[in-house]
Amino acid sequence: MSLMDRWTSGEREAPEPLEGNVVATVITGTLVWLVLLLVQLPFYDWFADHGHTWWLWTCAAGAALGCVGIWYVRARDKAIKQAQGD
């Protein structure tokens, strides 16, 4: 029996998922990406000169995907609340 088999054989029961304020977590993460983007924008020329504009695009993608995530977790919370109310 390998070390990995011990964890994946089904002998151990999976722990319960942690539930927290998912909406606040996603909003916080999105704001972090947005702040990082805004802090780096004044230095765009430096990033372009050194071939590091991908840093800005990474922050922009993080902020944009975070907005999708905010929409998703709000819809998820609404669906969970509706299912519990029925």
Side-chain angles (χ1 to χ4, degrees):
M1 180 185 279
S2 73
L3 179 64
M4 197 61 179
D5 288 338
R6 227 174 63 190
W7 296 99
T8 60
S9 66
E11 293 176 18
R12 294 176 180 247
E13 196 170 314
E16 290 294 318
L18 296 174
E19 287 293 332
N21 192 345
V22 181
V23 176
T25 303
V26 175
I27 289 173
T28 302
T30 303
L31 289 175
V32 168
W33 282 115
L34 186 60
V35 167
L36 287 171
L37 175 64
L38 294 175
V39 166
Q40 292 179 46
L41 275 177
F43 305 102
Y44 182 84
D45 291 335
W46 183 90
F47 285 113
D49 292 344
H50 292 86
H52 296 303
T53 54
W54 65 270
W55 289 11
L56 293 144
W57 288 110
T58 300
C59 294
L65 289 172
C67 290
V68 173
I70 292 168
W71 169 80
Y72 179 82
V73 296
R74 283 188 174 167
R76 176 183 175 267
D77 275 359
K78 183 178 177 184
I80 289 171
K81 287 177 184 171
Q82 285 179 347
Q84 289 173 346
D86 292 345

